[in-house]
Amino acid sequence: MSTLTTDSIASELLEETLLTLEQITTGVTVMAINASRQPEQSPRVRRLLGDLLALIQEAEEDLVT
C-alpha cells in the first residue's frame, strides 16, 4: 500500500480500496477454482476465508464502524 500524500486523501483512499478489493477478489477466486480441482486444498482456503473475515470484523470494531 502506498502512503497517502496529497490533499485528496479521501479520493486516494477510495482508489486504494477499490484496487485492493479487486486483488482480493481475484486471489480468492483463483484459490477457490484451484481448490475445486484439488479438494485437499479446500480446508486451507476455508480457513483463509474465515481468517480474512475475522480480520475485517476486528478492524471494523477498532474503527468503530
Side-chain angles (χ1 to χ4, degrees):
M1 296 231 166
S2 61
T3 304
L4 302 174
T5 57
T6 70
D7 293 334
S8 58
I9 290 176
S11 296
E12 288 182 9
L13 182 58
L14 179 58
E15 181 179 344
E16 191 79 27
T17 300
L18 293 172
L19 291 171
T20 301
L21 283 171
E22 184 177 341
Q23 290 174 332
I24 291 170
T25 299
T26 300
V28 168
T29 301
V30 168
M31 286 187 289
I33 290 169
N34 287 337
S36 71
R37 293 178 181 154
Q38 299 175 10
E40 67 275 7
Q41 292 182 359
S42 292
R44 183 170 182 225
V45 173
R46 293 183 87 179
R47 268 194 315 277
L48 174 73
L49 294 173
D51 291 348
L52 180 59
L53 288 175
L55 183 62
I56 290 169
Q57 289 170 344
E58 182 181 321
E60 287 176 338
E61 291 170 5
D62 290 347
L63 295 171
V64 192
T65 58

